[in-house]
Amino acid sequence: MSKDILSKVKPRDSKHNTNEWVYNSLCQLILTGEFVPGISFTFRGIANSFGVSTMPVREAAKRLISEGALDMSEKRRITVSQMSQSKFDELMIARLNLEPQLSVLALKHIDSKRLKLLINIDKNLDYAISTGNIEDYIKYNYQFHFGIYEAGLSPVLLPLVRTLWLRFSPFYRIVAGRAGTQTLKDFHHSAIDAIIAKDSVALEVAIHSDILEGMEMLNESLNE
Amino acid sequence: MSKDILSKVKPRDSKHNTNEWVYNSLCQLILTGEFVPGISFTFRGIANSFGVSTMPVREAAKRLISEGALDMSEKRRITVSQMSQSKFDELMIARLNLEPQLSVLALKHIDSKRLKLLINIDKNLDYAISTGNIEDYIKYNYQFHFGIYEAGLSPVLLPLVRTLWLRFSPFYRIVAGRAGTQTLKDFHHSAIDAIIAKDSVALEVAIHSDILEGMEMLNESLNE
DNA sequence: GTAACATATTTGTGATCACAAATTATAAAT
DNA sequence: ATTTATAATTTGTGATCACAAATATGTTAC
């Protein structure tokens, strides 16, 4: 792992201790597709990149391993977990069953300020889609979904759903070469409409459809 | 934490390294209700009880903290996470949406040997219910559900559901003083019938009903 | 050139250490 | 007896060390 990882990561915050900083940084790198499946790391290598000892890296990486985002199966090497069809199918099941419910729980906590934020994110998302910028698409898609989900501060479902995203996000990179992102925006718009109307059923449907579409796109790319 | 924890835990296996042994042991203690909400530990205390250094305890406990089973909120003390109504409601949502699906995925992998095992577990469960033995009820109820779930080796849903059980299991102890366990056995029987008939819809309904009933019992106890 | 063997390096694991921050125990004062 | 100030202890965190196992590197033999 190269030294310039630090430039792709939020600077160290005094609010978080070292292992939290490393954990959040690794999450960010995974969620933005910076960690491509296949490349492998070592504790010492990551530690050198962050300029810390192996100790906080061990805690952060071990946590991500237990969350299924990283793997240490291959002897003494840490890698982004490989995807399989059964993993993918189960991720789909979990997302379809949890995220619509989570968005309904969050709906009542979405105030006008957050709504404005979501509309703005969606605008950026539309632009990323129209220009085919997959990196921005990944980033704003994440921000849009969790902009909704985080409104409710759900103590159980929110962390659960976060681990699901850690598992499939690295594979968005595979979609980069394809031009199938044009049809995705409708569901975000109908989600916003549902939030404005405070219509929980419509929001549930919109999130459900969005997941279905996005995951189907991923599935096609995985099987090519 | 007292030294006699070792007697309540599986002896160390050469297949697992130290931190896995500690993690599995802590899981067992949590799932069997040995760790009651409220009591608090320290890394060094647990390490002394297990006769190991703080290192593997840190890894095991930190993992359980990230899984929501343990808490370190109160300054420098590790405790079994407190339950709240919103946590409970979300656990219910997650269980009802994941476990029936997980059992359907597992159904096709349940062979006659496993079916016999489930029937035997259910017999022990019936006896525990009739004698009001809450400890055995907790143990065999876990074995019954995961006896089904584990058949499919689901790489995503199974670990996810395990973390849900880690979160609510400690609170079964609160039910100990009540006599409301008599009505639970029917759903296990209908689950077994569904497995024999290879009827996935019936299995889904049985698991759903069982969760609903068990969690409702827990919810009443939490609110008394 | 290639396979077989020996050597050197790197790896994760578990233990230990240093240390600041927090907790608890002790003593003093009213 | 209760509060307040001070000292002693304990805590999690991050760094470092020892070590066996695994990997990589070099060397020899055919």
Side-chain angles (χ1 to χ4, degrees), chain B residues 2-11 28-29 49-50:
Chain B
S2 56
K3 265 272 184 185
D4 61 351
I5 285 294
L6 279 184
S7 65
K8 296 171 180 169
V9 143
K10 283 187 197 157
Q28 193 186 341
L29 292 168
S49 300
F50 281 93

Side-chain angles (χ1 to χ4, degrees), chain A residues 104-121:
Chain A
V104 169
L105 286 180
L107 177 56
K108 68 176 77 70
H109 299 103
I110 300 178
D111 54 14
S112 63
K113 184 185 162 201
R114 185 175 291 269
L115 177 62
K116 255 178 218 159
L117 182 73
L118 288 171
I119 291 171
N120 192 47
I121 293 170

Side-chain angles (χ1 to χ4, degrees), chain B residues 10-18 20-21 24:
Chain B
K10 283 187 197 157
R12 175 132 189 221
D13 188 337
S14 63
K15 285 200 163 188
H16 303 92
N17 56 21
T18 311
E20 287 171 335
W21 174 58
N24 289 333

Side-chain angles (χ1 to χ4, degrees), chain B residues 95-141:
Chain B
R95 291 195 66 195
L96 287 175
N97 282 284
L98 297 182
E99 293 184 40
Q101 301 255 21
L102 178 53
S103 68
V104 169
L105 286 180
L107 177 56
K108 68 175 78 70
H109 298 103
I110 300 179
D111 53 13
S112 63
K113 185 186 162 197
R114 185 176 289 268
L115 177 61
K116 258 178 215 157
L117 183 73
L118 289 171
I119 291 172
N120 192 47
I121 293 170
D122 186 49
K123 207 164 62 183
N124 291 329
L125 191 56
D126 279 348
Y127 184 72
I129 290 172
S130 67
T131 58
N133 188 336
I134 190 72
E135 276 144 22
D136 278 3
Y137 169 74
I138 295 173
K139 183 171 75 179
Y140 291 122
N141 188 46

Side-chain angles (χ1 to χ4, degrees), chain A residues 31-60:
Chain A
L31 289 170
T32 57
E34 207 76 48
F35 278 5
V36 178
I39 53 171
S40 67
F41 320 104
T42 61
F43 287 160
R44 282 173 172 88
I46 299 175
N48 284 337
S49 299
F50 281 94
V52 298
S53 81
T54 56
M55 201 54 243
V57 173
R58 274 163 76 170
E59 290 195 357

Side-chain angles (χ1 to χ4, degrees), chain A residues 174-189:
Chain A
I174 302 175
V175 190
R178 297 171 66 96
T181 53
Q182 308 294 340
T183 56
L184 290 168
K185 59 171 182 166
D186 304 325
F187 299 114
H188 285 137
H189 287 171

Side-chain angles (χ1 to χ4, degrees), chain B residues 141-159:
Chain B
N141 188 46
Y142 176 86
Q143 286 183 11
F144 185 82
H145 278 263
F146 281 81
I148 297 172
Y149 304 156
E150 285 170 358
L153 296 172
S154 301
V156 175
L157 292 177
L158 190 57

Side-chain angles (χ1 to χ4, degrees), chain B residues 32-83:
Chain B
T32 57
E34 207 77 47
F35 278 5
V36 179
I39 53 171
S40 68
F41 320 104
T42 62
F43 287 160
R44 283 172 171 89
I46 299 175
N48 284 337
S49 300
F50 281 93
V52 299
S53 81
T54 57
M55 202 54 240
V57 173
R58 272 163 77 170
E59 290 195 358
K62 285 259 181 178
R63 178 172 173 189
L64 285 163
I65 289 168
S66 89
E67 290 173 334
L70 298 180
D71 254 338
M72 197 155 53
S73 59
E74 187 187 338
K75 288 293 182 192
R76 298 185 183 239
R77 281 212 108 69
I78 298 155
T79 99
V80 171
S81 300
Q82 285 296 119
M83 186 57 75

